[in-house]
Structures are given as structure tokens and as C-alpha cells.
Amino acid sequence: MHSITLLGRPGCHLCDDAREVIARVAGELGVPWEEVDIDSSAELREKYGEMIPVTLVDGTQHDFWRVSEDRLRAALS
């Protein structure tokens, strides 16, 4: 079973766009997903601070800045 993690922060308009795509694809495919605020962890902030939103599929970085719906679907197939 796959899982998706969206790394972002409140007030990020690109994060809002990514959330919409992820929610739609995850909902259609029955894949669980979660959202993590990178400001909750100094390590996440250091690693991904300039790249948000970042999408992880099964814990591995998949996309950043924008989420490609086609690429996400392919990764989950």
C-alpha cells in the first residue's frame, strides 16, 4: 500500500494547490495521505524550506514546488 506525505506550511499558496491535487488523486485511488508542517521540525525546515511544497511517496521525495497529477498517478500505479 502506498502513502503520500505533503510537506508545507500554512499560508503557502503552492501548498494549497498541491493539497487539491493530492486529495483528488489519493481519494480516487484510495491512498492514505498526510500533511506535515515543515516548521514543526528544524530538520525538515533545513532540508526542504526553500522547496515547499514537497511531495513524498512512500517516504521518498517525488515532487517539489508543483505536483504533477500525471506523475503522481503513475507513481501510485
Side-chain angles (χ1 to χ4, degrees):
M1 173 61 93
H2 293 291
S3 65
I4 305 167
T5 304
L6 172 62
L7 303 175
R9 65 170 46 107
C12 165
H13 71 282
L14 291 177
C15 300
D16 294 340
D17 295 345
R19 189 178 304 108
E20 283 184 29
V21 172
I22 291 169
R24 179 174 50 252
V25 171
E28 289 174 9
L29 299 178
V31 175
W33 73 282
E34 67 174 336
E35 187 169 352
V36 175
D37 182 349
I38 66 161
D39 292 325
S40 67
S41 160
E43 180 181 345
L44 290 176
R45 192 172 43 251
E46 176 73 24
K47 187 171 183 178
Y48 299 112
E50 299 300 318
M51 299 170 63
I52 62 166
V54 176
T55 306
L56 308 176
V57 173
D58 300 330
T60 302
Q61 184 177 329
H62 177 71
D63 270 328
F64 65 95
W65 292 334
R66 302 241 183 241
V67 176
S68 164
E69 185 167 340
D70 292 337
R71 265 182 42 84
L72 184 58
R73 284 182 187 282
L76 299 170
S77 297

Coordinates of all heavy atoms in Angstrom, one line a residue:
M1 N 0.9 -1.2 0.0 CA 0.0 0.0 0.0 C 0.9 1.2 0.0 O 1.8 1.3 0.8 CB -0.9 0.0 1.2 CG -1.7 1.2 1.4 SD -2.8 1.6 0.1 CE -4.3 0.9 0.7
H2 N 0.6 2.2 -0.9 CA 1.4 3.4 -1.0 C 0.8 4.4 0.1 O -0.3 4.3 0.6 CB 1.2 4.0 -2.4 CG 1.8 3.2 -3.4 ND1 3.2 3.1 -3.6 CD2 1.3 2.5 -4.5 CE1 3.5 2.4 -4.6 NE2 2.3 2.0 -5.2
S3 N 1.6 5.4 0.3 CA 1.2 6.6 1.1 C 1.9 7.8 0.6 O 2.9 7.8 -0.1 CB 1.6 6.4 2.6 OG 3.0 6.4 2.7
I4 N 1.2 9.0 0.8 CA 1.7 10.3 0.3 C 1.8 11.2 1.5 O 0.9 11.2 2.4 CB 0.7 10.9 -0.6 CG1 0.4 9.9 -1.8 CG2 1.2 12.2 -1.2 CD1 -0.8 10.4 -2.6
T5 N 2.9 11.9 1.5 CA 3.1 13.0 2.6 C 3.3 14.3 1.8 O 4.1 14.4 0.9 CB 4.3 12.7 3.5 OG1 4.1 11.4 4.1 CG2 4.4 13.7 4.5
L6 N 2.6 15.3 2.2 CA 2.7 16.7 1.7 C 3.4 17.5 2.8 O 2.9 17.6 3.9 CB 1.4 17.3 1.4 CG 1.4 18.8 1.0 CD1 2.2 19.0 -0.3 CD2 0.0 19.3 0.8
L7 N 4.6 18.0 2.5 CA 5.4 18.9 3.4 C 5.1 20.3 2.9 O 5.4 20.6 1.8 CB 6.9 18.6 3.3 CG 7.3 17.1 3.6 CD1 8.8 17.0 3.4 CD2 6.9 16.8 5.0
G8 N 4.6 21.1 3.8 CA 4.3 22.5 3.5 C 4.3 23.3 4.8 O 4.8 23.0 5.8
R9 N 3.6 24.5 4.6 CA 3.4 25.3 5.8 C 2.1 26.2 5.5 O 1.7 26.4 4.4 CB 4.6 26.2 6.1 CG 4.9 27.2 5.0 CD 6.0 28.3 5.5 NE 7.1 27.7 6.1 CZ 8.4 27.6 5.6 NH1 8.6 28.0 4.3 NH2 9.4 27.1 6.3
P10 N 1.5 26.6 6.6 CA 0.3 27.5 6.4 C 0.6 28.7 5.6 O 1.7 29.3 5.7 CB -0.1 27.8 7.9 CG 0.6 26.7 8.7 CD 1.8 26.4 8.0
G11 N -0.4 29.1 4.8 CA -0.2 30.4 4.1 C 0.5 30.2 2.8 O 0.7 31.2 2.1
C12 N 0.9 29.0 2.4 CA 1.6 28.8 1.2 C 0.6 28.5 0.1 O -0.1 27.4 0.1 CB 2.6 27.6 1.4 SG 3.3 26.9 -0.1
H13 N 0.5 29.3 -0.9 CA -0.5 29.1 -2.0 C -0.1 27.9 -2.9 O -1.0 27.2 -3.3 CB -0.6 30.4 -2.9 CG 0.5 30.7 -3.7 ND1 1.7 31.3 -3.3 CD2 0.7 30.5 -5.1 CE1 2.5 31.4 -4.3 NE2 2.0 30.9 -5.4
L14 N 1.2 27.6 -3.1 CA 1.5 26.4 -3.8 C 1.1 25.2 -3.0 O 0.8 24.2 -3.6 CB 3.0 26.4 -4.1 CG 3.5 27.5 -5.1 CD1 5.0 27.4 -5.3 CD2 2.8 27.3 -6.5
C15 N 1.2 25.3 -1.7 CA 0.8 24.1 -0.9 C -0.7 23.9 -1.0 O -1.1 22.7 -1.1 CB 1.2 24.4 0.6 SG 2.9 24.6 0.9
D16 N -1.5 25.0 -1.1 CA -2.9 24.8 -1.3 C -3.2 24.1 -2.6 O -4.0 23.2 -2.7 CB -3.6 26.2 -1.3 CG -3.5 26.9 0.0 OD1 -3.3 26.2 1.0 OD2 -3.7 28.2 0.0
D17 N -2.5 24.5 -3.7 CA -2.6 23.8 -5.0 C -2.3 22.4 -4.9 O -3.0 21.5 -5.4 CB -1.8 24.5 -6.1 CG -2.2 26.0 -6.3 OD1 -3.3 26.4 -6.0 OD2 -1.4 26.7 -7.0
A18 N -1.1 22.1 -4.3 CA -0.7 20.7 -4.1 C -1.7 19.9 -3.4 O -2.0 18.7 -3.7 CB 0.7 20.7 -3.5
R19 N -2.2 20.4 -2.3 CA -3.2 19.7 -1.5 C -4.4 19.3 -2.3 O -4.9 18.2 -2.1 CB -3.6 20.7 -0.3 CG -4.5 20.0 0.7 CD -4.8 21.0 1.9 NE -3.7 21.5 2.5 CZ -3.3 22.8 2.3 NH1 -4.0 23.7 1.6 NH2 -2.2 23.3 2.9
E20 N -4.9 20.2 -3.2 CA -6.0 19.9 -4.0 C -5.7 18.7 -4.9 O -6.6 17.7 -5.0 CB -6.4 21.0 -4.9 CG -7.2 22.1 -4.2 CD -7.6 23.2 -5.1 OE1 -7.8 22.9 -6.3 OE2 -7.7 24.4 -4.7
V21 N -4.6 18.7 -5.6 CA -4.2 17.6 -6.5 C -4.1 16.3 -5.7 O -4.6 15.2 -6.1 CB -2.9 17.9 -7.2 CG1 -2.4 16.7 -8.0 CG2 -3.1 19.1 -8.1
I22 N -3.3 16.3 -4.6 CA -3.1 15.1 -3.8 C -4.4 14.6 -3.2 O -4.6 13.4 -3.3 CB -2.1 15.4 -2.6 CG1 -0.7 15.7 -3.2 CG2 -2.1 14.3 -1.6 CD1 0.3 16.2 -2.3
A23 N -5.3 15.4 -2.7 CA -6.5 15.0 -2.1 C -7.4 14.3 -3.2 O -8.0 13.2 -3.0 CB -7.3 16.1 -1.5
R24 N -7.4 14.9 -4.4 CA -8.2 14.3 -5.5 C -7.6 12.9 -5.9 O -8.4 11.9 -6.0 CB -8.2 15.2 -6.7 CG -9.0 14.7 -7.9 CD -9.1 15.7 -9.0 NE -7.9 16.3 -9.5 CZ -7.6 17.6 -9.2 NH1 -8.4 18.4 -8.6 NH2 -6.4 18.1 -9.7
V25 N -6.3 12.8 -6.2 CA -5.7 11.6 -6.6 C -5.8 10.5 -5.5 O -6.2 9.4 -5.8 CB -4.3 11.8 -7.1 CG1 -3.5 10.5 -7.4 CG2 -4.2 12.7 -8.3
A26 N -5.4 10.9 -4.3 CA -5.4 10.0 -3.2 C -6.9 9.4 -3.0 O -7.1 8.2 -2.7 CB -4.9 10.6 -1.9
G27 N -7.8 10.3 -3.1 CA -9.2 9.9 -2.9 C -9.7 8.9 -3.9 O -10.3 7.9 -3.6
E28 N -9.3 9.2 -5.2 CA -9.8 8.4 -6.3 C -9.1 7.0 -6.2 O -9.7 6.0 -6.6 CB -9.4 9.0 -7.6 CG -10.3 10.2 -7.9 CD -9.9 11.0 -9.2 OE1 -9.0 10.5 -9.9 OE2 -10.4 12.0 -9.4
L29 N -7.8 7.0 -5.8 CA -7.1 5.7 -5.7 C -7.1 5.0 -4.4 O -6.6 3.9 -4.3 CB -5.6 6.0 -6.2 CG -5.4 6.5 -7.6 CD1 -3.9 6.8 -7.8 CD2 -6.0 5.6 -8.6
G30 N -7.7 5.6 -3.4 CA -7.8 5.0 -2.1 C -6.4 5.0 -1.4 O -6.2 4.1 -0.6
V31 N -5.6 6.0 -1.6 CA -4.3 6.0 -1.0 C -4.3 7.0 0.2 O -4.7 8.1 0.1 CB -3.2 6.5 -2.0 CG1 -1.9 6.7 -1.4 CG2 -3.2 5.5 -3.2
P32 N -3.8 6.6 1.3 CA -3.8 7.5 2.5 C -2.7 8.6 2.3 O -1.7 8.3 1.6 CB -3.4 6.5 3.7 CG -2.7 5.4 3.0 CD -3.2 5.2 1.7
W33 N -3.0 9.7 2.9 CA -2.1 10.8 2.8 C -2.2 11.7 4.0 O -3.2 11.6 4.7 CB -2.3 11.7 1.5 CG -3.5 12.6 1.5 CD1 -4.8 12.2 1.3 CD2 -3.5 14.0 1.7 NE1 -5.6 13.3 1.3 CE2 -4.8 14.4 1.5 CE3 -2.5 14.9 1.9 CZ2 -5.2 15.7 1.7 CZ3 -2.9 16.2 2.1 CH2 -4.2 16.6 1.9
E34 N -1.1 12.4 4.3 CA -1.0 13.2 5.4 C -0.3 14.5 5.0 O 0.5 14.5 4.0 CB -0.3 12.6 6.6 CG 1.2 12.3 6.3 CD 2.0 11.8 7.5 OE1 1.5 12.0 8.7 OE2 3.0 11.2 7.3
E35 N -0.5 15.5 5.8 CA 0.2 16.8 5.6 C 1.0 17.1 6.8 O 0.6 17.0 8.0 CB -0.8 17.9 5.4 CG -0.2 19.2 4.9 CD -1.2 20.2 4.4 OE1 -2.4 19.9 4.2 OE2 -0.7 21.4 4.2
V36 N 2.3 17.5 6.6 CA 3.2 17.9 7.7 C 3.7 19.3 7.5 O 4.2 19.6 6.5 CB 4.4 16.9 7.8 CG1 5.4 17.3 8.8 CG2 3.9 15.4 8.0
D37 N 3.6 20.1 8.6 CA 4.1 21.5 8.6 C 5.6 21.4 8.8 O 6.1 20.9 9.8 CB 3.5 22.3 9.7 CG 3.9 23.7 9.8 OD1 4.9 24.1 9.1 OD2 3.3 24.5 10.5
I38 N 6.4 21.9 7.8 CA 7.9 21.7 7.9 C 8.4 22.6 9.1 O 9.5 22.3 9.6 CB 8.6 22.1 6.6 CG1 8.5 23.6 6.3 CG2 8.2 21.2 5.5 CD1 9.5 24.0 5.3
D39 N 7.6 23.5 9.5 CA 8.1 24.3 10.7 C 8.0 23.6 12.0 O 8.4 24.1 13.0 CB 7.3 25.7 10.7 CG 7.7 26.6 9.6 OD1 8.8 26.6 9.1 OD2 6.8 27.3 9.1
S40 N 7.4 22.4 12.0 CA 7.3 21.6 13.2 C 8.6 20.9 13.5 O 8.8 20.3 14.5 CB 6.2 20.6 13.0 OG 6.5 19.6 12.0
S41 N 9.6 20.9 12.5 CA 10.8 20.2 12.7 C 12.0 21.0 12.1 O 11.9 21.4 10.9 CB 10.7 18.9 12.0 OG 12.0 18.3 11.8
A42 N 13.0 21.3 12.9 CA 14.2 22.0 12.4 C 14.8 21.3 11.2 O 15.3 21.8 10.3 CB 15.2 22.3 13.5
E43 N 14.8 19.9 11.3 CA 15.4 19.1 10.3 C 14.6 19.3 9.0 O 15.2 19.4 7.9 CB 15.4 17.6 10.7 CG 16.0 16.7 9.7 CD 16.0 15.3 10.1 OE1 15.8 15.0 11.3 OE2 16.2 14.4 9.3
L44 N 13.3 19.2 9.0 CA 12.5 19.4 7.8 C 12.7 20.8 7.2 O 12.8 20.9 6.0 CB 11.0 19.1 8.1 CG 10.6 17.7 8.4 CD1 9.2 17.6 8.8 CD2 11.0 16.8 7.2
R45 N 12.7 21.8 8.1 CA 12.8 23.2 7.7 C 14.2 23.4 7.0 O 14.2 24.0 5.9 CB 12.7 24.1 8.9 CG 12.5 25.5 8.5 CD 12.2 26.4 9.7 NE 12.9 26.1 10.9 CZ 12.4 25.6 12.0 NH1 11.1 25.2 12.0 NH2 13.1 25.3 13.0
E46 N 15.2 22.8 7.5 CA 16.5 22.9 6.9 C 16.6 22.2 5.6 O 17.2 22.7 4.6 CB 17.6 22.3 7.9 CG 19.0 22.3 7.4 CD 19.6 23.6 7.3 OE1 19.2 24.5 8.1 OE2 20.6 23.8 6.5
K47 N 16.0 21.0 5.5 CA 16.2 20.2 4.3 C 15.2 20.7 3.2 O 15.6 20.7 2.0 CB 15.8 18.8 4.6 CG 16.1 17.8 3.5 CD 15.9 16.4 4.0 CE 16.2 15.4 2.8 NZ 16.2 14.0 3.2
Y48 N 14.0 21.1 3.5 CA 13.0 21.4 2.5 C 12.5 22.8 2.5 O 11.6 23.2 1.7 CB 11.8 20.5 2.7 CG 12.1 19.0 2.5 CD1 12.0 18.2 3.6 CD2 12.5 18.5 1.3 CE1 12.3 16.8 3.5 CE2 12.7 17.1 1.2 CZ 12.6 16.3 2.3 OH 12.9 15.0 2.2
G49 N 13.1 23.7 3.3 CA 12.5 25.1 3.5 C 12.3 25.9 2.2 O 11.3 26.6 2.1
E50 N 13.2 25.8 1.2 CA 13.0 26.5 0.0 C 12.3 25.8 -1.1 O 12.2 26.3 -2.2 CB 14.4 26.9 -0.5 CG 15.2 27.8 0.5 CD 14.4 29.1 0.8 OE1 13.9 29.7 -0.1 OE2 14.4 29.5 2.0
M51 N 11.9 24.5 -0.8 CA 11.3 23.7 -1.9 C 9.8 23.5 -1.7 O 9.3 22.8 -2.6 CB 12.0 22.3 -1.8 CG 13.5 22.4 -2.1 SD 14.4 20.8 -1.8 CE 13.6 19.8 -3.0
I52 N 9.2 24.0 -0.7 CA 7.8 23.6 -0.4 C 6.9 24.1 -1.5 O 7.2 25.1 -2.1 CB 7.3 24.1 1.0 CG1 7.4 25.6 1.1 CG2 8.1 23.4 2.1 CD1 6.7 26.1 2.2
P53 N 5.8 23.4 -1.8 CA 5.5 22.1 -1.2 C 6.4 21.0 -1.7 O 6.7 21.0 -2.9 CB 4.0 21.9 -1.5 CG 3.9 22.6 -2.8 CD 4.8 23.8 -2.7
V54 N 6.6 20.0 -0.9 CA 7.3 18.8 -1.3 C 6.4 17.6 -1.1 O 5.7 17.5 -0.1 CB 8.6 18.6 -0.4 CG1 9.3 17.3 -0.8 CG2 9.5 19.8 -0.6
T55 N 6.3 16.8 -2.1 CA 5.5 15.6 -2.0 C 6.4 14.3 -1.9 O 7.4 14.2 -2.6 CB 4.7 15.4 -3.3 OG1 4.0 16.6 -3.6 CG2 3.7 14.2 -3.2
L56 N 6.1 13.5 -0.9 CA 6.8 12.3 -0.7 C 5.9 11.1 -1.0 O 4.7 11.2 -0.6 CB 7.3 12.1 0.8 CG 8.1 13.3 1.4 CD1 8.4 13.0 2.9 CD2 9.4 13.5 0.6
V57 N 6.3 10.2 -1.7 CA 5.6 9.0 -2.0 C 6.3 7.8 -1.3 O 7.5 7.6 -1.6 CB 5.4 8.7 -3.5 CG1 4.7 7.3 -3.7 CG2 4.5 9.8 -4.1
D58 N 5.7 7.2 -0.4 CA 6.3 6.1 0.4 C 7.6 6.6 1.0 O 8.6 5.8 1.1 CB 6.6 4.9 -0.5 CG 5.3 4.3 -1.1 OD1 4.2 4.5 -0.5 OD2 5.3 3.8 -2.2
G59 N 7.6 7.8 1.5 CA 8.8 8.4 2.2 C 9.9 8.9 1.4 O 10.9 9.4 1.9
T60 N 9.8 8.8 0.0 CA 10.8 9.2 -0.9 C 10.3 10.5 -1.6 O 9.2 10.5 -2.1 CB 11.1 8.1 -1.9 OG1 11.6 7.0 -1.2 CG2 12.2 8.6 -2.9
Q61 N 11.2 11.5 -1.7 CA 10.8 12.7 -2.4 C 10.4 12.4 -3.8 O 11.1 11.7 -4.6 CB 12.0 13.7 -2.4 CG 11.6 15.0 -3.0 CD 12.7 16.1 -3.0 OE1 13.5 16.0 -2.1 NE2 12.7 16.9 -4.0
H62 N 9.2 13.0 -4.2 CA 8.6 12.7 -5.5 C 8.6 14.0 -6.3 O 9.0 14.0 -7.5 CB 7.2 12.1 -5.3 CG 6.5 11.9 -6.6 ND1 6.9 10.9 -7.5 CD2 5.5 12.6 -7.2 CE1 6.1 11.0 -8.5 NE2 5.2 12.0 -8.4
D63 N 8.1 15.1 -5.8 CA 7.9 16.4 -6.5 C 8.2 17.5 -5.5 O 8.1 17.3 -4.3 CB 6.5 16.6 -7.0 CG 6.3 16.1 -8.4 OD1 7.2 16.1 -9.2 OD2 5.2 15.6 -8.7
F64 N 8.5 18.7 -6.0 CA 8.5 19.9 -5.2 C 8.1 21.0 -6.0 O 8.0 21.0 -7.2 CB 9.9 20.1 -4.5 CG 11.0 20.4 -5.5 CD1 11.4 21.7 -5.8 CD2 11.7 19.4 -6.1 CE1 12.4 22.0 -6.7 CE2 12.7 19.6 -7.0 CZ 13.1 20.9 -7.3
W65 N 7.6 22.1 -5.3 CA 7.0 23.3 -5.9 C 5.6 23.0 -6.5 O 4.7 23.7 -6.1 CB 7.9 24.0 -6.8 CG 9.1 24.7 -6.2 CD1 9.3 25.1 -4.9 CD2 10.4 24.9 -6.8 NE1 10.5 25.6 -4.7 CE2 11.2 25.5 -5.9 CE3 10.8 24.8 -8.1 CZ2 12.5 25.9 -6.1 CZ3 12.1 25.2 -8.4 CH2 12.9 25.7 -7.4
R66 N 5.6 22.1 -7.4 CA 4.3 21.8 -8.0 C 4.1 20.3 -8.0 O 5.1 19.6 -8.2 CB 4.2 22.3 -9.5 CG 4.5 23.8 -9.6 CD 3.3 24.5 -10.2 NE 3.5 25.9 -10.4 CZ 2.8 26.8 -9.8 NH1 1.9 26.5 -9.0 NH2 3.1 28.1 -10.0
V67 N 2.8 19.9 -8.0 CA 2.6 18.4 -8.0 C 2.0 18.1 -9.4 O 1.0 18.7 -9.8 CB 1.6 18.0 -6.9 CG1 1.2 16.5 -7.1 CG2 2.1 18.3 -5.6
S68 N 2.6 17.3 -10.1 CA 2.1 16.8 -11.4 C 1.1 15.7 -11.2 O 1.5 14.6 -10.6 CB 3.3 16.3 -12.3 OG 2.7 15.6 -13.4
E69 N -0.1 15.9 -11.5 CA -1.1 14.9 -11.3 C -0.8 13.6 -12.0 O -0.9 12.5 -11.5 CB -2.5 15.4 -11.7 CG -3.6 14.4 -11.4 CD -5.0 15.0 -11.5 OE1 -5.2 16.2 -11.4 OE2 -5.9 14.2 -11.6
D70 N -0.3 13.7 -13.3 CA 0.0 12.5 -14.1 C 1.2 11.8 -13.4 O 1.1 10.5 -13.4 CB 0.4 12.9 -15.5 CG -0.8 13.5 -16.3 OD1 -2.0 13.1 -15.9 OD2 -0.6 14.2 -17.2
R71 N 2.2 12.5 -13.0 CA 3.4 11.8 -12.4 C 3.0 11.1 -11.1 O 3.4 10.0 -10.8 CB 4.5 12.8 -12.1 CG 5.5 12.9 -13.1 CD 6.7 13.9 -12.8 NE 7.2 13.9 -11.5 CZ 8.1 13.1 -11.0 NH1 8.6 12.2 -11.7 NH2 8.5 13.2 -9.7
L72 N 2.1 11.8 -10.3 CA 1.7 11.2 -9.0 C 0.9 9.9 -9.3 O 1.1 8.9 -8.6 CB 0.8 12.2 -8.2 CG 0.4 11.8 -6.9 CD1 1.5 11.4 -6.0 CD2 -0.5 12.9 -6.2
R73 N -0.1 10.0 -10.2 CA -0.8 8.8 -10.6 C 0.1 7.7 -11.0 O -0.1 6.5 -10.6 CB -1.8 9.1 -11.7 CG -3.0 9.9 -11.2 CD -4.0 10.1 -12.3 NE -5.1 11.0 -11.9 CZ -6.1 10.6 -11.2 NH1 -6.2 9.4 -10.8 NH2 -7.0 11.5 -10.8
A74 N 1.1 8.0 -11.8 CA 2.0 6.9 -12.3 C 2.8 6.3 -11.2 O 3.0 5.1 -11.1 CB 2.9 7.5 -13.4
A75 N 3.2 7.1 -10.2 CA 4.0 6.6 -9.1 C 3.1 5.7 -8.2 O 3.7 4.8 -7.5 CB 4.5 7.8 -8.3
L76 N 1.8 5.9 -8.2 CA 1.0 5.2 -7.3 C 0.4 3.9 -8.0 O -0.4 3.2 -7.4 CB -0.2 6.1 -6.8 CG 0.3 7.2 -5.9 CD1 -0.9 8.2 -5.7 CD2 1.0 6.8 -4.7
S77 N 0.6 3.8 -9.3 CA 0.1 2.7 -10.1 C 0.9 1.4 -9.9 O 2.1 1.4 -9.7 CB 0.0 3.0 -11.6 OG -0.8 4.1 -11.8

